[in-house]
Amino acid sequence: MMVAEGVRSVTGSRPQPVGRPIVRRRGRAWLALTLVLVGALAGLCLLYLEQTSRVVELGYELTALQHQRDSVALEAAALRYELARRQSLARIYELATREYGMVPLRRVEPLEVERSPVLPTPTPTEPPRAPWWQRANDALLGIGRAQAGDEP
Amino acid sequence: MNGLSARRLRVLLAAFVLFSGAVSYRVVSFAVLQGPVLAQRAEAFRYREDIVPAHRGDILDARGRVLATDIPADRVSAIVRQVEDPHRTAQLLAPLIGRSAEDIEAALTQPGREWVVLQRQLDPEVSAQIRALELPGIVLDPEPKRAYPMGDFASQVLGFVNWEYRGAYGLEAAYDSVVGGIPGQLVGERDLAGNVIALGQSSWNPPKDGATLVLTIDSAVQYIAESVLDRTIQEQRAAGGTIIIMDVRTGAILAMANRPSFDPNRFTAVSDPALFVNPSVSATYEPGSTFKVITMALGLDAGVVTPQTVVDGGAYRELPDGTRIYNALLQEFGPETMTEVLIHSSNVGAMEVVDRLGPERFYDGVERFGFGQPTGVDLPGEVEGIVNRPGTAGWSLTTFYTNAFGQGIAVTPLQLVTAVSAIANGGVLMRPYIVQEIRDGQRIQVTQPTPVRRVIREETARTLSEMLAEVMDSYSTRFRIPGYRIAAKTGTAEIPGPHGYERGEGATIASVIGYGPVENPRFCVLVKIDRPKGSPWGERAAGPAFAEVFRQLLLLYGIPPSQPVNSVTGEGGRP
């Protein structure tokens, strides 16, 4: 066994440990793959976190907007109420009589107006008819002719 | 040394066992003993359910004016344990929320209370002032408030909304399910601040807002009716009154004014809840001589009398049992035609008509006109009135004859207007209504006029209209409507009390009912003045108001006069 250790191989090449480079290569590949997977997973996690926080943020924004919409709707209702209050007939009467010096209606004079005589409806006249040869020519060549009607 | 270590170890072991036991006990206590309760509490905290109130629909008049709407308001509450200085808090809040400081302090120091509502429906200005105070433990929550921009305008028709935000009286109550909407529900997982977490589990059942009601009430007509009624009540020193204006062709109610009334914005300030009730449909009265219109319609329709039929208009009619029923003021008219019976408002003449009709035909006709039964109007609390038919406990020969001139019979103002409108409408009774449209989003439901039945022949209606126009002409010294032919009849009814009819000042109900223009009737107007002290008579107490309402109405709708007239002179008062 001792002798054999110092003997070169007949081929002259150094003895190589059987299968080790393959294992190393495979190990590196696995490491790379693991790193890629971990990286991808981390990326996905980050993406998920980003999306989640964005959705939550949007949710809060939505709630805030809903509140704003509600308050605007209520404000519009308040304005509508104020408008209606100001349109109150009792208030208009007070304004008209006190501020603008108007007085209630005291005298109404109906006026007879003669209705203008109804004009006779004009009898529709027959439009001039084109001669037969022109109608045939128009039909063959696809010519259409416009005609002024009663309506504007 | 070994002994010491062993002892230490035993002490440590004992301490460890004790600690482990304590922890285990807490774990078992939380997880097993209190588990379900705590889980439920946590669940309730995380998944809180919020009721989202629906917006109540508006109520508009026929011209689109807002009569009732929602406005923003706030509810102020206190988280009792967070209130640092109840005395100071109460002092600061008292002038703002309209409660005494003592009252508020008592509420804030109630033992065992975590939460207390201090005031509701605060105006936005008050809310802003409270917010500026930054009082610890005092919170403001938005809540809708029902508001009536025109105050007491048509208040008994509209009704109001109570603290629970449900319709309590009037249209608010009758159409509560339509106007009120359906509240929504939000169940969601929440953060500590109570906000719904967007990614959490949640369910959202949105509220359905209430529909908008469009009424047949025309605010311009209602304003005329209320103004004239107020002025007449003041002039006559009356207890109250009612004016109803109806479109005779459809049964649509254009105005329904009642006094006394109330402001629905401040319904809590009303001490007598009877004010909330609409007397036009919920209170009955004996109509008196205005009921002779119905008696005459039945007599003419049955053919037992004509406008020219002459009866002996003595001062009284004596019944077989010796009872004498007199004309008003014991007047004796001598021979009178049926038209004159109406002009004189002769009780004896009216009794002659029912005598010729007989009880069966008379009461059949009265019921055909809709008396003794609800009209079917879309207002709550309608009563049917009292019509005693032969064979019932309240009937006697005396009531039969007094019914002829509107005593011993009880009707609602709306029943009378609906019945007389039927005559104006050529004999067809229409179902009265007050809601013209229900606008629910894109869906619009329009109320169509509903004929109930024919009550008299068209010819009879025309004849009676001519007779009543003559009656109206006979009032010309008291009230008139120049240029127009109006059919009308006055009434002065006695008020029954526990010991017979009341006597003395303010013991009558003065009224006028009529319609016009006779050529093409559009409106039926009832003016009823309760307990007038200026004059007890319908002609004097209610007549001028009737004429004023009609004049304004005809001008408002631009109906030209049918008779030559130089000018139509107004009273010069408020419309």
Side-chain angles (χ1 to χ4, degrees):
Chain A
M1 287 291 283
M2 291 294 282
V3 174
E5 277 181 5
V7 177
R8 282 176 177 266
S9 70
V10 285
T11 58
S13 59
R14 288 181 66 183
Q16 294 292 323
V18 179
R20 195 174 262 185
I22 297 164
V23 170
R24 276 191 190 147
R25 269 202 302 278
R26 278 189 186 161
R28 274 201 295 274
W30 275 111
L31 183 66
L33 187 65
T34 309
L35 282 175
V36 168
L37 281 175
V38 167
L41 197 64
L44 276 175
C45 287
L46 282 174
L47 196 66
Y48 174 74
L49 275 176
E50 166 62 21
Q51 289 302 315
T52 307
S53 56
R54 183 83 189 121
V55 170
V56 170
E57 201 180 303
L58 284 173
Y60 283 130
E61 259 179 51
L62 194 66
T63 311
L65 285 171
Q66 274 169 351
H67 286 156
Q68 272 183 32
R69 188 201 59 183
D70 288 350
S71 62
V72 166
L74 286 172
E75 227 172 278
L79 286 172
R80 207 165 57 244
Y81 167 76
E82 192 55 29
L83 187 70
R85 203 179 61 78
R86 284 169 186 270
Q87 281 180 340
S88 152
L89 292 173
R91 186 180 169 278
I92 290 170
Y93 182 87
E94 288 301 315
L95 274 177
T97 51
R98 287 198 184 165
E99 285 193 21
Y100 301 108
M102 292 183 181
V103 289
L105 192 70
R106 290 178 200 282
R107 191 165 166 271
V108 180
E109 197 164 327
L111 295 174
E112 272 191 33
V113 181
E114 268 196 31
R115 195 187 288 262
S116 58
V118 181
L119 295 170
T121 315
T123 322
T125 51
E126 192 73 21
R129 209 169 158 78
W132 67 268
W133 52 267
Q134 192 172 356
R135 290 204 307 275
N137 183 50
D138 289 349
L140 282 172
L141 300 175
I143 298 170
R145 292 183 189 277
Q147 188 180 308
D150 293 337
E151 296 298 320
Chain B
M1 193 68 183
N2 284 344
L4 188 64
S5 296
R7 205 166 46 247
R8 277 181 182 167
L9 278 173
R10 274 198 293 275
V11 169
L12 271 172
L13 180 67
F16 178 74
V17 168
L18 205 65
F19 177 73
S20 303
V23 169
S24 305
Y25 169 74
R26 293 303 286 169
V27 168
V28 171
S29 169
F30 282 136
V32 180
L33 302 177
Q34 299 179 53
V37 178
L38 291 175
Q40 204 175 354
R41 205 184 293 173
E43 191 84 353
F45 183 79
R46 279 178 64 204
Y47 295 98
R48 204 175 65 210
E49 178 187 311
D50 270 357
I51 300 295
V52 184
H55 288 294
R56 214 173 161 81
D58 287 351
I59 301 180
L60 312 177
D61 85 328
R63 293 173 187 257
R65 280 203 171 91
V66 178
L67 301 178
T69 188
D70 274 5
I71 56 169
D74 282 308
R75 178 179 57 203
V76 61
S77 319
I79 306 167
V80 176
R81 61 189 159 80
Q82 288 182 14
V83 176
E84 289 169 2
D85 186 349
H87 180 72
R88 182 174 164 273
T89 305
Q91 293 290 334
L92 289 170
L93 286 179
L96 297 174
I97 66 172
R99 282 179 73 178
S100 71
E102 294 75 34
D103 197 17
I104 298 170
E105 194 173 342
L108 294 176
T109 51
Q110 283 179 82
R113 290 292 294 274
E114 288 187 1
W115 183 272
V116 61
V117 175
L118 297 173
Q119 191 56 281
R120 297 185 59 185
Q121 303 204 333
L122 298 172
D123 291 336
E125 298 80 36
V126 177
S127 301
Q129 288 176 33
I130 294 173
R131 217 169 267 121
L133 291 172
E134 294 182 348
L135 293 167
I138 300 299
V139 288
L140 287 158
D141 294 306
E143 65 173 359
K145 177 184 176 182
R146 197 65 163 166
Y148 304 88
M150 299 199 194
D152 67 351
F153 194 77
S155 57
Q156 281 143 338
V157 172
L158 297 174
F160 61 88
V161 169
N162 63 17
W163 289 112
E164 280 75 43
Y165 213 53
R166 307 308 315 180
Y169 284 88
L171 287 168
E172 294 274 29
Y175 283 87
D176 193 47
S177 57
V178 178
V179 185
I182 303 163
Q185 193 184 32
L186 172 63
V187 184
E189 194 176 358
R190 289 163 192 275
D191 61 13
L192 273 176
N195 299 312
V196 176
I197 300 168
L199 288 175
Q201 291 179 347
S202 65
S203 71
W204 168 232
N205 182 18
K208 186 183 176 299
D209 289 345
T212 293
L213 294 186
V214 181
L215 307 188
T216 57
I217 295 280
D218 180 335
S219 57
V221 180
Q222 179 78 17
Y223 181 67
I224 291 169
E226 290 191 357
S227 307
V228 171
L229 186 59
D230 283 339
R231 202 171 57 242
T232 306
I233 288 171
Q234 197 183 358
E235 283 168 6
Q236 292 294 326
R237 290 171 286 125
T242 295
I243 293 180
I244 299 175
I245 302 170
M246 182 180 277
D247 184 333
V248 300
R249 301 166 303 179
T250 61
I253 297 165
L254 303 176
M256 188 178 266
N258 299 293
R259 290 292 186 267
S261 65
F262 68 101
D263 183 352
N265 293 306
R266 297 188 295 117
F267 70 91
T268 49
V270 177
S271 54
D272 181 10
L275 272 186
F276 298 147
V277 176
N278 184 351
S280 295
V281 295
S282 302
T284 59
Y285 73 111
E286 297 195 8
S289 294
T290 51
F291 199 76
K292 285 172 186 158
V293 176
I294 306 299
T295 303
M296 194 59 72
L298 295 174
L300 291 169
D301 203 53
V304 296
V305 289
T306 66
Q308 293 75 37
T309 303
V310 177
V311 293
D312 180 22
Y316 63 87
R317 183 185 185 98
E318 188 166 323
L319 306 188
D321 64 353
T323 306
R324 287 182 177 181
I325 302 174
Y326 291 87
N327 280 328
L329 301 174
L330 309 178
Q331 290 176 95
E332 193 169 341
F333 300 110
E336 51 184 354
T337 63
M338 282 298 127
T339 305
E340 285 166 339
V341 164
L342 291 174
I343 291 171
H344 299 149
S345 200
S346 165
N347 292 346
V348 172
M351 285 189 276
E352 180 65 30
V353 177
V354 294
D355 199 37
R356 294 184 184 195
L357 272 170
E360 197 175 331
R361 275 200 289 183
F362 174 64
Y363 288 108
D364 281 351
V366 166
E367 285 183 359
R368 207 163 57 237
F369 266 107
F371 296 104
Q373 56 205 286
T375 61
V377 70
D378 43 350
L379 281 167
E382 190 184 18
V383 296
E384 56 191 20
I386 302 167
V387 177
N388 292 312
R389 286 194 70 121
T392 60
W395 189 84
S396 68
L397 199 59
T398 308
T399 56
F400 170 58
Y401 284 110
T402 57
N403 284 174
F405 52 91
Q407 297 282 173
I409 188 168
V411 306
T412 65
L414 186 63
Q415 278 179 336
L416 190 64
V417 173
T418 309
V420 175
S421 292
I423 299 168
N425 191 35
V428 177
L429 187 77
M430 304 297 291
R431 186 181 70 82
Y433 64 101
I434 203 155
V435 173
Q436 180 63 62
E437 275 179 32
I438 299 173
R439 295 180 187 166
D440 192 0
Q442 297 299 313
R443 202 163 56 89
I444 298 177
Q445 188 184 325
V446 180
T447 309
Q448 297 300 329
T450 314
V452 178
R453 60 184 160 265
R454 174 167 285 285
V455 290
I456 51 171
R457 286 175 289 119
E458 199 171 351
E459 179 59 30
T460 308
R462 218 170 14 245
T463 306
L464 187 55
S465 294
E466 291 299 328
M467 292 167 76
L468 290 171
E470 281 189 53
V471 176
M472 177 70 189
D473 289 342
S474 72
Y475 303 138
S476 61
T477 53
R478 302 268 178 239
F479 62 94
R480 66 200 181 96
I481 303 158
Y484 297 92
R485 292 189 72 225
I486 304 294
K489 178 75 190 81
T490 59
T492 306
E494 293 179 296
I495 302 171
H499 310 294
Y501 285 105
E502 293 183 20
R503 292 278 172 260
E505 195 185 41
T508 63
I509 290 174
S511 60
V512 182
I513 191 155
Y515 53 88
V518 168
E519 299 81 9
N520 180 23
R522 291 277 305 274
F523 314 107
C524 181
V525 177
L526 168 69
V527 177
K528 168 177 163 280
I529 306 298
D530 302 337
R531 301 179 180 280
K533 294 194 178 77
S535 166
W537 306 106
E539 194 176 328
R540 289 167 189 254
F546 174 83
E548 184 61 26
V549 167
F550 240 112
R551 259 196 301 270
Q552 297 287 342
L553 203 56
L554 295 165
L555 276 176
L556 182 72
Y557 281 84
I559 297 172
S562 59
Q563 293 172 337
V565 58
N566 290 332
S567 64
V568 180
T569 311
E571 294 295 307
R574 285 180 61 141

